[in-house]
Amino acid sequence: MSFTSLFKKPVPLVCAAIFLAVEILARVAPLEMYSGAAIYLTVHRRQLLDAEQPEFDYLIFGESKSLSIRGHRATAQENWSVYNFSMPAMGSRYFSFLLEKYLAHRKRKPAALIFAGDPGVFQQSWNTPLHDPGRIYSDSREDPLWRYLYYRVVRRIPYGFSAVRGPQMPQEAAWDSYSHRFLHLFSPAELAGQYTGAERIFVLREAAPLQYYTFRYRDALRGYVSNPRPALPAPRPVYCQSCSESLRNECRSRLPNFQDNALIRAQLARDYGAINLGERIEAANLLQYNLVREKLVTATRQMFDGAAVDLGPLQAILDVARRHGVRVAMAAAPTVDQYGNARYYVEYRRQLAQLLAGREDARQFDFARPYLTADSFVDQIHYNCEAARSVNEDFYRNVMPRILAFAPPASGEAAMRNLDERAGGGL
């Protein structure tokens, strides 16, 4: 078909033009603001990680519970900064890559990485292959592609090529529910460097469609087209910051995505990356969690009694930090007291002590109250309002002073320069 004849059948051109126009719109419009809170938080993290400024003196890594620990803005009296980069439900393998991502864009390294995540993130079951969580055709994440293809044939023969399926593993459930966090946080090039063999093919296959923003933000795009200039939400009343008043409907009311993300952006700016997810649960749902909390805690305790520890991802964090001259402070956020003597936690503490023995660049810093009663949590994981306040007080009174002595901030003057609005949420 010649170029001239193409214009005689304009339908393909019109379709291509419409697709191109929508794709351009999807790339220039703030569609992350119209997405769910989880995607917005992830995109916000990525924008901050990929920026050259600001540079923080201390980084907090962890999961949804440690996300409650407020960051610290440098002041004239305390000229050091802390930013909380915790991400919910992503396991532990990505932490070393997250640190490399931050360091790749900064000239000044942080004084220390504060790992505040729950020890439970280092369960062996969290580190099964993403493409084969039941380990039916793969022995590990590092298996080369040829071995995976070989096992696809050899291990199916006894079953007569019928479907082979193992039990669902935690990593598989997490990928099904939270893969958007990996795919929005890292670029395809970064993901390609993090995985090998069949694992790399699987992840890149998952990431490929998201390179088209029309697909990536398909739900958000509908919201933007219908309401491109929504009103910014009114700030929540000041009394909502009080635990005694936080259960009021106006303090926990559900908002459209844009308004909700605007409030999240303001909170990230105020608390330097921190959000207590327990305080985002609607008041009407808190009663339901209260009724089943003891059952959830008991079930989680039983799970920890049967779980195995895998500190390989922690070793990777320590290796990356040492290579860049960054100290590591292990400061696990307080968890449910019933977990403390579970077999998994006992074994974790033993292996952690062995791993840190003799190291000058990594040290453990316990909270004054490392375990809290179950009624300090809205479920088996997240703090209620009062507990979150208590944990933050404990962190800045008992943990942070020792970290400051262990890894003094490199430059107070540089920390003061980070007082621009981009540090919290203006990206």
Side-chain angles (χ1 to χ4, degrees):
M1 181 182 294
S2 67
F3 183 77
T4 304
S5 62
L6 186 62
F7 283 93
K8 295 179 181 179
K9 298 180 179 180
V11 174
L13 285 179
V14 172
C15 292
I18 293 174
F19 177 82
L20 181 61
V22 174
E23 179 68 14
I24 293 174
L25 174 64
R27 289 180 178 272
V28 299
L31 295 185
E32 70 277 3
M33 293 293 292
Y34 293 81
S35 303
I39 289 181
Y40 173 75
L41 175 64
T42 307
V43 173
H44 184 278
R45 290 281 197 255
R46 178 173 178 172
Q47 291 173 340
L48 190 57
L49 288 163
D50 287 343
E52 295 182 358
Q53 292 290 336
E55 296 173 323
F56 303 106
D57 293 294
Y58 302 94
L59 315 178
I60 295 177
F61 282 8
E63 30 63 65
S64 59
K65 182 154 55 62
S66 61
L67 185 61
S68 305
I69 300 175
R70 294 191 302 272
H72 179 274
R73 184 184 294 269
T75 65
Q77 294 74 31
E78 296 177 319
N79 59 351
W80 42 269
S81 60
V82 181
Y83 198 90
N84 193 333
F85 282 102
S86 295
M87 287 291 295
M90 288 185 64
S92 56
R93 186 178 183 274
Y94 83 102
F95 286 124
S96 60
F97 304 116
L98 190 70
L99 179 58
E100 288 182 326
K101 185 176 179 67
Y102 175 88
L103 295 172
H105 296 90
R106 265 69 176 187
K107 294 181 180 179
R108 184 171 69 92
K109 63 187 180 185
L113 165 64
I114 304 170
F115 190 86
D118 190 281
V121 300
F122 295 110
Q123 293 177 70
Q124 188 179 75
S125 55
W126 275 89
N127 293 310
T128 55
L130 293 175
H131 65 286
D132 185 19
R135 296 192 180 186
I136 300 170
Y137 308 119
S138 302
D139 294 328
S140 73
R141 281 185 155 180
E142 286 68 39
D143 280 0
L145 180 59
W146 68 264
R147 183 178 300 166
Y148 171 75
L149 296 175
Y150 172 73
Y151 286 155
R152 286 282 299 188
V153 175
V154 172
R155 293 184 179 180
R156 287 181 73 98
I157 291 177
Y159 297 91
F161 290 92
S162 60
V164 182
R165 180 68 174 164
Q168 188 181 58
M169 306 298 287
Q171 180 64 64
E172 179 181 17
W175 183 261
D176 290 344
S177 302
Y178 306 113
S179 59
H180 60 273
R181 292 176 182 164
F182 294 89
L183 302 177
H184 283 271
L185 189 59
F186 297 106
S187 69
E190 290 169 333
L191 291 170
Q194 297 171 16
Y195 300 95
T196 60
E199 188 97 318
R200 176 185 292 167
I201 294 175
F202 170 82
V203 172
L204 292 181
R205 185 198 69 190
E206 297 284 305
L210 271 66
Q211 304 320 300
Y212 297 96
Y213 279 37
T214 307
F215 177 81
R216 178 193 289 249
Y217 293 116
R218 55 195 181 280
D219 296 327
L221 189 60
R222 287 194 291 267
Y224 175 78
V225 172
S226 62
N227 189 13
R229 291 188 178 182
L232 289 173
R236 295 201 190 273
V238 176
Y239 57 71
C240 288
Q241 298 183 26
S242 169
C243 290
S244 60
E245 304 292 337
S246 64
L247 293 180
R248 291 191 181 190
N249 287 334
E250 63 268 28
C251 298
R252 298 202 180 208
S253 58
R254 183 179 295 275
L255 296 172
N257 286 346
F258 186 94
Q259 283 79 4
D260 187 33
N261 290 332
L263 292 178
I264 290 175
R265 180 174 59 187
Q267 184 172 354
L268 293 174
R270 184 185 73 233
D271 294 336
Y272 258 37
I275 297 176
N276 180 27
L277 297 185
E279 295 178 53
R280 284 183 53 82
I281 298 174
E282 293 184 44
N285 294 329
L286 289 178
L287 177 60
Q288 297 178 5
Y289 279 110
N290 187 54
L291 293 174
V292 300
R293 183 177 59 227
E294 288 297 334
K295 292 183 179 179
L296 292 173
V297 169
T298 300
T300 304
R301 164 60 198 255
Q302 293 174 349
M303 181 270 294
F304 279 130
D305 278 330
V309 179
D310 178 8
L311 294 189
L314 177 54
Q315 181 65 65
I317 297 171
L318 297 175
D319 291 344
V320 172
R322 171 173 283 181
R323 189 163 64 248
H324 292 277
V326 177
R327 295 195 165 195
V328 177
M330 299 294 298
T335 191
V336 181
D337 55 2
Q338 294 182 35
Y339 304 161
N341 62 350
R343 191 184 70 84
Y344 175 89
Y345 273 78
V346 173
E347 181 63 17
Y348 168 82
R349 290 192 293 267
R350 185 189 70 80
Q351 292 190 27
L352 179 64
Q354 290 181 342
L355 185 62
L356 300 183
R359 297 187 69 117
E360 296 183 356
D361 59 341
R363 192 176 301 172
Q364 185 174 357
F365 299 89
D366 291 331
F367 282 69
R369 294 182 62 200
Y371 299 102
L372 304 175
T373 57
D375 59 6
S376 298
F377 300 79
V378 297
D379 47 20
Q380 81 281 23
I381 300 174
H382 305 105
Y383 301 123
N384 61 29
C385 182
E386 293 82 0
R389 303 295 192 273
S390 175
V391 167
N392 274 279
E393 181 180 353
D394 192 348
F395 179 78
Y396 282 102
R397 175 178 294 180
N398 300 306
V399 178
M400 199 61 208
R402 289 180 289 149
I403 294 178
L404 288 168
F406 165 65
S411 172
E413 180 182 354
M416 289 298 293
R417 289 200 299 268
N418 288 332
L419 294 178
D420 57 76
E421 61 178 295
R422 294 179 65 193
L427 289 170

